[in-house]
Amino acid sequence: MMKWCLGVVLAVCARALADAAVRTCEPIKVAMCRDIGYNQTGMPNLARHTLQADADVTLQTFSPLVQYGCSEQLHLFLCAVYVPMCTDKVALPIGPCRSLCEAVHARCFPVLSGFGFQWPAELDCELFPAENNHEHMCMEGPGERAAGAGAAAGEAACRRLRRAPAWLWLRGAGRCAQYCDAEVLWEAGERRAAEVWLATWAALSFACTLAAAGAALACGAGAGAGVGAGGAGERALVLVALCRCAAAAGWGVRAAAGRAAAGCAQDPASTRMLLAHDGLANPNCAVVFLLLYYFGLAASVWWVVVAGAWRAAVLRPTTLPGAPRHDRHSSLLQLAAWGVPAALAAAVLVTRDVDADELTGTCFVGNQSSKSLLALVIVPEAICLLLGGVFLASGLRAVLRRAPPPPPPALLAPAPAPAPRPDQSVLRLGAFAALYAAPSACILATYVYEYLWRDAWLAAPGAQGSGPQPAFWVFLFRIFASQILGVMVAVWIGTPRLKALWRRAVGPRKPVKPPPAPLALPAHCYAHAHTLPRHTHKYSTYRPPSHHYSYRKPRHYHYSAGETIL
């Protein structure tokens, strides 16, 4: 018995000496553990890997857990197990202490169990030394830093979201960021369908608005319009087309760059691409946001100017068509139309609220923040729609309550001046303003729908089911309505101007015949009755006393048929 025990002890000691003799320190080649605090390791490691390549493959499986950030010491703990520290002064590898393992286990095991994974056997805390001493050297780690209440609440909020592994808590930004390739609300097929839908309507809107704006500038901004308020409305209508053309160019930049290049960015602390949550980190994302948000909001403000100009033209129509009238408030309108969207866009960039949506990867504001969606999208668009609606209702009320034309004047009475009525161009301007309001109201309704239901969509499903899902057709309709606004304004202002340019370029097909000259009649055929020669001596009532003439009235002969013959 004593011999057997002595043999076992000698075998263990021989194995330990053999391991110590075989193990040599070498530079760390695993990319994940190069900046861990030491640069030498020795194989085999504590998980019995003989090559650093095998340890690297195993460490890559823990990359999502490291990015999730369940523990600040997880990175050090994993490297200490799979790439332990090696020094020439100590024969055995220096791995983690039991206290480090227990701290990491307390924070990360609930996350793994929530995802359906078990704690790995080679990471069992009982395998590591209880404390660091001269007999068993180990790494205790710096300890968990006290996380703020906001960070703890944020991490808990990310765990409560739908498909929690698809989210990463960003401590610097203070929000949950979604991985670029993660499918949380939309599937891959829906994304491809939205991509094709977006590219088609964006190309159509850009082509139409560009052609209409070019035709308007070639013919003159106010060609075919009245003066005064009507002319101001026509000029504002052309600016609406230019803004919609720039917004369509933003959609085109997004479609040309692609989803990953325009809507995704890499976080400095992560190795995977995240859905853009800070537009300044991606130049393509910033350009798309500026084109869509700034020019889209500017188009809404100019539409309000169109509605106001139509109301002014209806209430105070111009009596003299050729009389010039200067716009007194043109400078204020220019400042409001271009300055207000610029101020809001600057506020979005300063607060770093530019983010991309999951469906199309288009950078806008409020795609990931309900507060930003309400304050910077819904409220400005609602104000514009309300002001435009008030102007339209006031002008329509004035048209419906206009007094009927006066009765024909009496004989020999001076004819009163007819009341001025709006011409055809003014009425056409009002019709456009009314038609433009319908898609704008639908777009605003889709934003309100997203604001009200977004939290319910992103909430983790309960035990009863998968939870509510967003309606795919609503978001497709938003893309359609946004682009149809450009197509509508292009067709509205471009049709008469394109006809004018075509006629100017082609010219009249048939020569216009001059009107026939009047017949040359003798002068006596034109003579009036009072120009004919009269015999004054025959019809005069005065007679000399020497002559006695009797003047008889002409006799009238009456017939039975009622006809009188002189």
Side-chain angles (χ1 to χ4, degrees):
M1 186 66 180
M2 293 294 295
K3 293 182 179 180
W4 179 82
C5 293
L6 182 60
V8 171
V9 172
L10 292 176
V12 171
C13 293
R15 184 176 179 181
L17 293 174
D19 290 344
V22 173
R23 180 181 292 108
T24 57
C25 296
E26 57 184 7
I28 297 177
K29 301 178 182 179
V30 179
M32 185 176 177
C33 300
R34 284 180 179 176
D35 299 329
I36 201 63
Y38 55 91
N39 55 8
Q40 295 287 328
T41 186
M43 293 292 165
N45 58 14
L46 301 183
R48 297 300 177 184
H49 292 145
T50 58
L51 298 176
Q52 291 194 42
D54 299 336
D56 192 6
V57 173
T58 305
L59 283 173
Q60 292 300 324
T61 60
F62 293 95
S63 180
L65 191 62
V66 174
Q67 294 174 4
Y68 188 83
C70 58
S71 174
E72 295 179 354
Q73 301 185 104
L74 176 63
H75 192 189
L76 174 63
F77 172 69
L78 293 176
C79 290
V81 173
Y82 293 97
V83 188
M85 184 173 64
C86 180
T87 177
D88 297 336
K89 299 179 181 180
V90 179
L92 298 177
I94 302 176
C97 296
R98 187 177 302 175
S99 59
L100 176 60
C101 177
E102 292 175 350
V104 174
H105 181 273
R107 288 180 174 268
C108 296
F109 177 69
V111 178
L112 284 179
S113 61
F115 295 158
F117 296 98
Q118 299 294 328
W119 190 257
E122 61 268 18
L123 300 182
D124 188 4
C125 297
E126 297 295 332
L127 300 176
F128 308 114
E131 59 181 3
N132 184 23
N133 51 35
H134 64 281
E135 296 181 359
H136 301 284
M137 297 186 63
C138 60
M139 291 180 284
E140 297 178 349
E144 295 286 348
R145 290 176 295 178
E155 293 177 0
C158 292
R159 289 193 293 269
R160 290 193 299 267
L161 293 176
R162 180 190 296 267
R163 298 184 182 178
W167 298 89
L168 174 65
W169 171 249
L170 301 176
R171 304 191 182 191
R175 58 168 34 171
C176 297
Q178 179 182 343
Y179 292 120
C180 188
D181 55 351
E183 298 178 2
V184 177
L185 296 178
W186 311 105
E187 299 179 354
E190 294 173 334
R191 291 181 179 180
R192 288 192 296 268
E195 186 84 14
V196 175
W197 184 262
L198 170 63
T200 302
W201 283 106
L204 179 61
S205 177
F206 179 76
C208 293
T209 50
L210 185 62
L217 295 177
C219 295
V227 296
E234 287 289 335
R235 291 190 294 271
L237 191 59
V238 175
L239 292 176
V240 172
L242 290 175
C243 292
R244 283 297 167 189
C245 181
W251 291 100
V253 171
R254 156 60 194 90
R259 174 187 174 85
C264 299
Q266 185 174 1
D267 189 75
S270 304
T271 58
R272 292 176 58 183
M273 299 293 290
L274 302 176
L275 204 61
H277 56 276
D278 181 4
L280 299 180
N282 188 344
N284 296 330
C285 182
V287 170
V288 171
F289 159 74
L290 287 175
L291 290 175
L292 291 181
Y293 185 75
Y294 175 73
F295 287 102
L297 190 56
S300 299
V301 178
W302 279 117
W303 169 76
V304 175
V305 175
V306 171
W310 176 75
R311 175 185 176 275
V314 168
L315 295 180
R316 296 184 299 273
T318 305
T319 55
L320 298 177
R325 180 180 177 180
H326 301 282
D327 297 328
R328 301 177 181 178
H329 307 292
S330 59
S331 300
L332 294 178
L333 293 179
Q334 294 282 344
L335 180 62
W338 300 117
V340 173
L344 291 177
V348 173
L349 292 176
V350 168
T351 56
R352 296 179 179 269
D353 280 339
V354 180
D355 46 20
D357 68 327
E358 180 189 349
L359 181 60
T360 61
T362 303
C363 287
F364 201 63
V365 55
N367 288 320
Q368 303 176 20
S369 174
S370 298
K371 294 181 179 179
S372 300
L373 179 64
L374 177 63
L376 298 171
V377 178
I378 295 179
V379 172
E381 292 292 343
I383 291 175
C384 292
L385 190 62
L386 180 61
L387 289 177
V390 169
F391 290 151
L392 289 176
S394 178
L396 182 61
R397 179 174 177 270
V399 170
L400 296 178
R401 297 187 61 179
R402 187 174 299 277
L411 188 62
L412 301 180
R421 301 181 64 86
D423 56 0
Q424 192 69 18
S425 62
V426 174
L427 296 178
R428 188 171 178 270
L429 191 68
F432 165 78
L435 291 178
Y436 191 94
S440 300
C442 294
I443 295 174
L444 181 60
T446 60
Y447 284 125
V448 174
Y449 167 73
E450 182 179 0
Y451 171 76
L452 294 176
W453 289 93
R454 173 185 290 170
D455 294 338
W457 297 336
L458 295 178
Q464 297 180 356
S466 60
Q469 294 285 343
F472 182 56
W473 67 269
V474 173
F475 293 87
L476 292 184
F477 179 77
R478 178 192 296 176
I479 298 174
F480 166 75
S482 300
Q483 306 307 319
I484 204 63
L485 285 175
V487 176
M488 185 176 63
V489 67
V491 172
W492 198 269
I493 71 172
T495 302
R497 288 174 171 83
L498 289 176
K499 288 182 179 179
L501 288 177
W502 176 260
R503 291 174 182 174
R504 184 187 304 176
V506 177
R509 297 182 179 179
K510 297 182 180 179
V512 180
K513 296 182 179 179
L519 298 176
L521 298 177
H524 65 272
C525 297
Y526 294 73
H528 296 283
H530 65 274
T531 61
L532 296 177
R534 300 181 63 180
H535 300 281
T536 55
H537 67 277
K538 183 176 180 181
Y539 298 99
S540 176
T541 56
Y542 174 77
R543 296 292 182 268
S546 58
H547 298 85
H548 299 280
Y549 295 97
S550 62
Y551 177 75
R552 293 184 179 182
K553 296 182 179 180
R555 297 180 180 180
H556 297 77
Y557 298 92
H558 300 275
Y559 292 86
S560 61
E563 182 181 4
T564 302
I565 298 179
L566 178 61

